[in-house]
Amino acid sequence: GLGYIYKNKGDDMKAMRALEGCLRIRKMKLESDIELADTYQHLGTVHDSIENARKALFCYDKALSIYAECLGEKNETSALVLCRKAGILQSLENDEAALACFSEALQIRSFFHEEEELSVETADIICSQGSIYNRMGNIKKAQSCFETALNMYKTIDGSENLNVAKALHFIAIIFVNRQDNDRAYPCLEEALRLRRTLLGEHHEDTADSCYYIASILFAWRRYREALPCFQTAYDVYLKQRGSLDISVANTLFFIGCIHEIDGNYDEALTCFKSSLLGKKTKSWGNQHGICQCHI
């Protein structure tokens, strides 16, 4: 109980110590006990929150083993733990293992809730699978997952919600990467509208959609429209992620290009220098959902 209290208060270190003490007591008492599995699960969540992936995965695997022994191979608690395990594997880019966990979780959920197939939890899992397929380069499966999730989100909660914005944003990124900006733009417009309405102008998710819209406007040579969008994204990224984050560097690069096109060479040079510093500090890659747009 004390470990859960600390965990809910956000004090991960105290929660970890309390849960580890509880775990030692319960292991002496009974090796295959639901309460022991619950303790492993919560301890895994704490390790996950402090980014100790190895210990988190160990705890989740122990919990899954005990749940299977006590409750059977298919049980709803295991589905939850499998999703948490998959999230860690996804962050480690262990894509095949993450997909396997998500797939098993979906099978368990469908076994117990055939009449509740349309659920936000199920749509979230499918959306996560889409992200993994996209990273693996399986664009067809990724798009199918995102579109399935989008339809589920709309059916469950209507069109005015953040989950719809998330799915639209992911679909748009697939189109951007295909250099199909005509199809990407309306998806991003709607995602940005929803995020601005529900999250506000200064949220990172809003900035991500704003950045991609600006990138497309830049590709269409609509520089005057692109500049304020890039500037909005830059302001949020700088505040939330710091001056050396790759998303700040990418955004500054485009702002510098527009200044150069407009003949504002001093401003362009300042942007390019700051952008180069960020790119030297961070390895080039797709971080925080940001990538170079195809120009």
Side-chain angles (χ1 to χ4, degrees), residues 68-87:
E69 183 176 339
C70 297
L71 302 175
E73 291 293 333
K74 290 185 177 181
N75 65 85
E76 294 182 85
T77 307
S78 287
L80 173 64
V81 179
L82 281 165
C83 288
R84 290 175 177 169
K85 178 182 176 181

Side-chain angles (χ1 to χ4, degrees), residues 54-255:
R54 183 181 62 82
K55 286 188 176 181
L57 289 172
F58 172 81
C59 290
Y60 286 150
D61 283 337
K62 290 290 288 186
L64 287 168
S65 176
I66 298 171
Y67 284 137
E69 183 176 339
C70 297
L71 302 175
E73 291 293 333
K74 290 185 177 181
N75 65 85
E76 294 182 85
T77 307
S78 287
L80 173 64
V81 179
L82 281 165
C83 288
R84 290 175 177 169
K85 178 182 176 181
I88 296 175
L89 294 169
Q90 185 177 2
S91 69
L92 296 174
E93 299 189 13
N94 190 342
D95 293 330
E96 294 290 351
L99 279 174
C101 288
F102 278 132
S103 296
E104 187 176 350
L106 279 178
Q107 291 174 0
I108 293 172
R109 288 186 60 82
S110 64
F111 180 80
F112 285 99
H113 300 285
E114 292 183 10
E115 74 285 356
E116 298 178 11
E117 186 178 1
L118 286 176
S119 69
V120 172
E121 292 80 7
T122 298
D124 285 343
I125 295 172
I126 294 172
C127 206
S128 295
Q129 288 179 312
S131 295
I132 295 172
Y133 282 127
N134 189 38
R135 185 164 62 197
M136 295 172 69
N138 193 331
I139 305 302
K140 185 175 181 180
K141 280 192 174 182
Q143 184 173 344
S144 176
C145 287
F146 291 143
E147 290 175 347
T148 298
L150 175 63
N151 291 330
M152 292 176 72
Y153 290 138
K154 286 183 175 180
T155 301
I156 296 163
D157 291 324
S159 298
E160 298 290 313
N161 66 81
L162 290 174
N163 284 324
V164 168
K166 174 180 69 176
L168 283 169
H169 182 88
F170 285 145
I171 291 169
I173 290 174
I174 288 178
F175 290 140
V176 167
N177 291 336
R178 287 178 172 174
Q179 303 186 44
D180 190 351
N181 290 337
D182 288 335
R183 295 176 72 184
Y185 193 80
C187 294
L188 285 168
E189 270 196 318
E190 180 62 9
L192 180 59
R193 182 189 71 80
L194 289 169
R195 287 174 166 178
R196 275 178 168 158
T197 300
L198 300 172
L199 295 174
E201 188 76 17
H202 305 294
H203 193 279
E204 289 181 81
D205 289 346
T206 305
D208 286 345
S209 294
C210 207
Y211 173 91
Y212 272 104
I213 281 183
S215 300
I216 292 174
L217 291 170
F218 186 95
W220 287 342
R221 303 180 186 277
R222 290 161 58 178
Y223 304 124
R224 292 187 181 276
E225 295 173 72
L227 182 58
C229 293
F230 278 130
Q231 190 65 54
T232 296
Y234 168 76
D235 290 341
V236 175
Y237 293 149
L238 181 63
K239 182 177 180 180
Q240 299 293 334
R241 301 174 182 173
S243 61
L244 298 181
D245 190 87
I246 193 68
S247 58
V248 173
N250 288 346
T251 310
L252 277 172
F253 171 79
F254 281 113
I255 293 173

Side-chain angles (χ1 to χ4, degrees), residues 23-39:
L23 185 63
R24 285 192 295 270
I25 295 170
R26 285 177 171 169
K27 285 174 75 174
M28 289 187 292
K29 174 185 173 185
L30 185 63
E31 184 64 33
S32 295
D33 175 39
I34 293 296
E35 290 183 344
L36 180 60
D38 289 343
T39 305

Side-chain angles (χ1 to χ4, degrees), residues 34-55:
I34 293 296
E35 290 183 344
L36 180 60
D38 289 343
T39 305
Y40 271 119
Q41 179 192 165
H42 288 290
L43 188 57
T45 304
V46 172
H47 282 303
D48 189 9
S49 67
I50 60 176
E51 299 182 357
N52 191 332
R54 183 181 62 82
K55 286 188 176 181

Side-chain angles (χ1 to χ4, degrees), residues 4-19:
Y4 305 152
I5 292 172
Y6 285 133
K7 179 170 171 288
N8 291 333
K9 286 184 176 181
D11 193 334
D12 292 327
M13 298 310 294
K14 286 185 179 180
M16 183 174 63
R17 286 193 291 269
L19 287 166

